[in-house]
């Protein structure tokens, strides 16, 4: 296996582990904030890594799947739907990484809000049924957008230095 492939697998594995650890830590410190209609998973800010490396796509997808499977509060459909939303969001973020608005990759930053609103909003409507889809979608989008626009933007600018990028992602990984 080439060193670039090993580096990419390693970056993905580190991001998966970080996602799971951060989500569990938040769930322990602030119970109930990582699931439900209005959720603020701080670990979703890690999606910002999709702007810097394609390794974030499988890494964060696996991290989301591992948390959802291992979390007793996760609904079984969430294993597929929530994980699919993460896969679609990070893929779109990677593809939109160069599209900027006000020197910020705003279209990419909004992808987790869009995909989670549609997919997780539908899932919540399917399971709960009392709240209409559009309201579930708005709640989910609000939580995702808040995390990405606040924590994600801060992380983006922290990682924005060329020197730090070269250290974290050598040779364009």
């Amino acid at each position: 296996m080439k060193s670039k492939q090993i580096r990419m697998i390693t970056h993905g594995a580190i991001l998966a582990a970080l996602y799971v650890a951060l989500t569990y830590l938040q769930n322990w410190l602030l119970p109930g904030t990582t699931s439900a209609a209005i959720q603020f998973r701080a670990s979703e800010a890690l999606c910002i890594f999709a702007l810097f490396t394609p390794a974030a796509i499988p890494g964060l997808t696996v991290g989301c799947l591992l948390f959802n499977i291992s979390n007793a509060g996760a609904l079984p459909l969430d294993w597929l739907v929530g994980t699919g939303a993460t896969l679609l969001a990070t893929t779109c973020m990677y593809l939109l990484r160069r599209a900027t608005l006000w020197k910020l990759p705003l279209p990419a930053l909004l992808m987790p809000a869009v995909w989670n609103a549609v997919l997780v909003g539908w899932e919540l409507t399917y399971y709960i049924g009392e709240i209409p889809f559009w309201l579930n979608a708005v709640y989910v989008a609000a939580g995702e957008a808040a995390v990405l626009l606040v924590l994600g933007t801060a992380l983006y600018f922290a990682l924005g230095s060329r020197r730090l990028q070269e250290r974290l992602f050598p040779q364009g990984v």
Side-chain angles (χ1 to χ4, degrees):
M1 198 178 268
K2 297 180 182 177
S3 71
K4 188 174 180 177
Q5 291 170 321
I6 292 170
R7 193 176 297 118
M8 193 155 164
I9 291 168
T10 304
H11 284 170
I14 290 168
L15 287 171
L18 271 172
Y19 186 97
V20 173
L22 287 173
T23 310
Y24 265 110
L25 179 63
Q26 179 184 344
N27 209 27
W28 180 66
L29 293 173
L30 303 165
T33 60
T34 62
S35 47
I38 302 176
Q39 56 181 267
F40 295 92
R41 275 191 192 178
S43 54
E44 286 288 306
L46 296 174
C47 288
I48 216 68
F49 280 94
L51 300 174
F52 300 102
T53 176
I57 299 168
L60 294 170
T61 301
V62 168
C64 181
L65 176 64
L66 289 173
F67 176 77
N68 288 343
I69 285 175
S70 63
N71 180 23
L75 303 169
L77 191 56
D78 202 35
W79 302 349
L80 177 65
V81 175
T83 302
T86 299
L87 174 64
L88 291 166
T90 52
T91 300
C92 289
M93 287 181 80
Y94 182 76
L95 295 173
L96 292 169
R97 69 190 180 279
R98 290 190 178 91
T100 59
L101 211 56
W102 304 296
K103 296 184 181 183
L104 189 65
L106 196 56
L109 287 173
L110 294 175
M111 288 298 105
V114 169
W115 286 107
N116 280 285
V118 172
L119 296 175
V120 177
W122 169 82
E123 176 189 4
L124 290 169
T125 303
Y126 176 79
Y127 272 117
I128 301 167
E130 297 170 9
I131 301 171
F133 165 75
W134 68 269
L135 191 54
N136 279 325
V138 167
Y139 287 156
V140 172
E144 285 287 331
V147 168
L148 269 294
L149 293 176
V150 176
L151 297 177
T153 299
L155 186 57
Y156 174 76
F157 284 116
L159 294 171
S161 114
R162 180 65 89 195
R163 177 183 275 168
L164 183 58
Q165 284 179 31
E166 288 171 359
R167 288 186 147 217
L168 288 173
F169 314 111
Q171 302 168 0
V173 173

